[in-house]
Amino acid sequence: MAIKICAEVFDPYLEIQAYQNENPSKGGAVGATSIFIGTMRDFNEGDAVKGMTLEYYPGMTEKQLEKIITEARQQWHVIDTLVVHRVGEILPAQPIVLVAVWASHRGDAFDACRYIMDALKSKAPFWKKELLATEDERWVVENTDGYKRC
Amino acid sequence: MAIKICAEVFDPYLEIQAYQNENPSKGGAVGATSIFIGTMRDFNEGDAVKGMTLEYYPGMTEKQLEKIITEARQQWHVIDTLVVHRVGEILPAQPIVLVAVWASHRGDAFDACRYIMDALKSKAPFWKKELLATEDERWVVENTDGYKRC
Amino acid sequence: MLMSIKVRYFASLKESVGRSEDNLAFTGLSTVNEVWNRANPGRSLPANILAAVNMDYVELDSNVKDGDEVAFFPPVTGG
Amino acid sequence: MLMSIKVRYFASLKESVGRSEDNLAFTGLSTVNEVWNRANPGRSLPANILAAVNMDYVELDSNVKDGDEVAFFPPVTGG
């Protein structure tokens, strides 16, 4: 299990591969890997966004992420997890968050990955401030349920 | 949208990166990528498994996968999808299937990825034959719901 | 009317019938189930077997027409 | 009893109170809500603000003890 807070741009695929290489023992037990990658969009709430700053609460952020992962492991059969979250100045298309869950079976992997993402969005202390194309700055007020509105 | 049937071992992370590089335009619209990777376990139904052969129905397999992806796109807001499935002789820890879904929002990405995986497991014509550690061969009879039994 | 039908078998069913393909030629309309019976006289269709015509899933009482490819196979186990 | 409490503010709340941290020293028992009032006299706690004590979420009427770190911040928007 690993939790990383990154102040620099990270490559989610390299992070996963590096983590797997450092933890090769789980190989034959793993049947399912569910991965979520959140990346920065260049629009939000109908406005063009050209950058973002991600603030966090060092110490509490890691503590809450650990708690969320423990809750997931209590509910599903999970072999391992990796969570990486970016902080600082971010540009469109850069990764913000990576959640990877390794399990023997796909239901456990999918459910635990989604649980961790949803809980992270509602409980882990991170805050986004958007820099709009108009040069205005604004704090993102609330995370949504994650579906596109028609 | 791409569907690939692979007769050789594939690296799911290289497949995703190569596909993204060939389709860079979607960058700033994507906020969520949900990925599922199925890998071969070295045990099943309580027996040690040392290899597997995956048979398919060329033509029908691709046709059914296209249909499944179309169904997913009718239900959720999906930007792009990639499905790669291995056939032929497989060894433990090798990837069997990759499903990647790119969307603006996480709910759409998660739901569509899971829909594609579950539908693939019940409708795409692939069949697994296991080679046990005892040298016995046996056909896998049915896919399960994907959760570990206690 | 002369019907020319290709029949295909996959996975464990292919092993139990002992062949991967039949090419049938017969006269008269037919259903998927009748295609099985013509290709495998005296052997009833095993339980749980799925059928496809021209690579789409069908019920066993679906009609087949000249030139169709009819496939029989066990439940799928990919992914 | 002398209470020494560190108060922290994050994100839009940090900008609106104009500081990131207070170090309070006062006597008597207190709650999270009272800590806010001591640190921000005359300013009521904005709606929807979350509170944590020692990096765990708490209700506003939770007690604080000497040495605690109390944090106030708006709804989180990570991921």
Side-chain angles (χ1 to χ4, degrees):
Chain A
M1 193 271 271
I3 293 169
K4 286 173 73 172
I5 307 292
C6 269
E8 302 293 329
V9 64
F10 71 92
D11 178 322
Y13 305 107
L14 292 182
E15 292 289 334
I16 294 169
Q17 288 170 302
Y19 186 73
Q20 283 183 325
N21 291 340
E22 290 156 18
N23 299 269
S25 57
K26 60 191 184 307
V30 172
T33 308
S34 177
I35 297 166
F36 181 84
I37 298 166
T39 42
M40 195 194 141
R41 293 195 314 270
D42 57 12
F43 65 92
N44 194 28
E45 310 262 330
D47 297 302
V49 183
K50 66 180 200 178
M52 189 179 263
T53 306
L54 251 156
E55 183 176 335
Y56 77 121
Y57 182 173
M60 179 165 176
T61 303
E62 294 87 340
K63 187 175 188 179
Q64 295 302 316
L65 289 173
E66 273 177 40
K67 212 165 162 174
I68 290 166
I69 291 163
T70 301
E71 288 162 4
R73 298 185 78 115
Q74 283 163 350
Q75 294 173 77
W76 296 282
H77 290 92
V78 165
I79 294 172
D80 207 353
T81 60
L82 170 64
V83 174
V84 182
H85 203 293
R86 182 73 188 282
V87 293
E89 310 279 326
I90 302 185
L91 295 174
Q94 289 184 350
I96 299 171
V97 61
L98 161 68
V99 175
V101 174
W102 290 269
S104 289
H105 299 280
R106 76 185 185 286
D108 295 308
F110 268 123
D111 287 351
C113 185
R114 182 151 198 176
Y115 178 84
I116 292 169
M117 261 313 295
D118 286 349
L120 182 157
K121 286 230 160 209
S122 68
K123 293 183 203 159
F126 292 103
W127 301 275
K128 287 175 183 155
K129 188 185 214 176
E130 294 174 334
L131 175 62
L132 304 184
T134 57
E135 299 293 332
D136 287 328
E137 287 190 325
R138 70 174 174 204
W139 288 96
V140 176
V141 173
E142 208 171 15
N143 275 332
T144 64
D145 66 358
Y147 291 90
K148 178 166 181 173
R149 300 284 147 258
C150 293
Chain B
M1 194 271 272
I3 293 169
K4 286 173 74 171
I5 308 292
C6 269
E8 303 293 329
V9 64
F10 71 92
D11 179 322
Y13 305 108
L14 292 181
E15 292 289 334
I16 294 169
Q17 287 170 305
Y19 186 74
Q20 283 184 326
N21 291 339
E22 290 157 16
N23 300 270
S25 57
K26 60 189 181 312
V30 171
T33 308
S34 178
I35 297 166
F36 181 84
I37 299 165
T39 43
M40 196 194 142
R41 293 194 313 268
D42 57 12
F43 66 93
N44 194 28
E45 311 261 330
D47 297 302
V49 184
K50 65 180 201 178
M52 190 180 262
T53 308
L54 252 158
E55 184 176 334
Y56 76 120
Y57 183 172
M60 180 164 176
T61 303
E62 294 87 341
K63 188 176 187 178
Q64 294 302 316
L65 289 173
E66 274 177 40
K67 212 165 161 174
I68 290 165
I69 291 163
T70 301
E71 287 162 5
R73 298 186 78 115
Q74 284 163 351
Q75 294 172 78
W76 296 283
H77 290 92
V78 165
I79 294 172
D80 207 352
T81 60
L82 170 64
V83 175
V84 182
H85 204 292
R86 182 73 188 282
V87 293
E89 310 279 325
I90 302 186
L91 295 175
Q94 289 184 350
I96 298 171
V97 62
L98 162 68
V99 174
V101 174
W102 289 270
S104 289
H105 299 280
R106 76 185 186 287
D108 295 308
F110 268 122
D111 287 351
C113 185
R114 180 149 199 179
Y115 178 85
I116 292 169
M117 260 314 295
D118 286 349
L120 181 157
K121 286 232 160 207
S122 67
K123 294 185 203 158
F126 292 103
W127 301 275
K128 287 174 182 155
K129 189 186 213 174
E130 294 174 334
L131 175 61
L132 303 184
T134 58
E135 298 294 331
D136 287 327
E137 286 188 327
R138 71 176 174 203
W139 289 96
V140 177
V141 173
E142 210 170 12
N143 274 332
T144 64
D145 66 358
Y147 291 90
K148 178 165 181 175
R149 300 284 147 258
C150 295
Chain C
M1 184 197 173
L2 182 69
M3 303 272 277
S4 177
I5 302 285
K6 178 188 269 196
V7 188
R8 303 185 67 177
Y9 309 99
F10 291 92
S12 56
L13 186 67
K14 175 173 70 183
E15 292 185 354
S16 65
V17 301
R19 40 193 214 284
S20 62
E21 206 173 300
D22 288 316
N23 285 288
L24 302 183
F26 56 88
T27 48
L29 294 175
S30 197
T31 64
V32 169
N33 207 33
E34 287 163 11
V35 166
W36 171 270
N37 291 331
R38 281 178 195 270
N40 299 277
R43 177 197 290 260
S44 58
L45 186 64
N48 296 323
I49 290 297
L50 303 173
V53 171
N54 299 331
M55 304 183 176
D56 278 316
Y57 286 100
V58 294
E59 300 297 323
L60 295 177
D61 59 0
S62 301
N63 290 320
V64 297
K65 59 181 194 311
D66 182 42
D68 279 354
E69 175 169 304
V70 180
F72 297 99
F73 46 78
V76 306
T77 57
Chain D
M1 183 198 173
L2 182 70
M3 304 273 278
S4 176
I5 302 286
K6 178 187 269 195
V7 188
R8 302 185 67 177
Y9 309 98
F10 291 91
S12 57
L13 186 68
K14 175 173 68 183
E15 292 185 355
S16 66
V17 300
R19 37 189 218 287
S20 62
E21 207 172 299
D22 288 317
N23 285 287
L24 303 184
F26 56 87
T27 49
L29 294 174
S30 197
T31 64
V32 169
N33 207 35
E34 287 162 10
V35 166
W36 170 271
N37 290 332
R38 282 179 195 270
N40 299 277
R43 177 197 289 260
S44 57
L45 186 64
N48 297 322
I49 290 297
L50 303 173
V53 171
N54 299 332
M55 303 184 176
D56 278 315
Y57 287 101
V58 294
E59 300 298 322
L60 295 177
D61 58 1
S62 301
N63 290 319
V64 297
K65 60 181 193 312
D66 182 41
D68 278 352
E69 175 170 305
V70 179
F72 297 99
F73 47 78
V76 306
T77 56

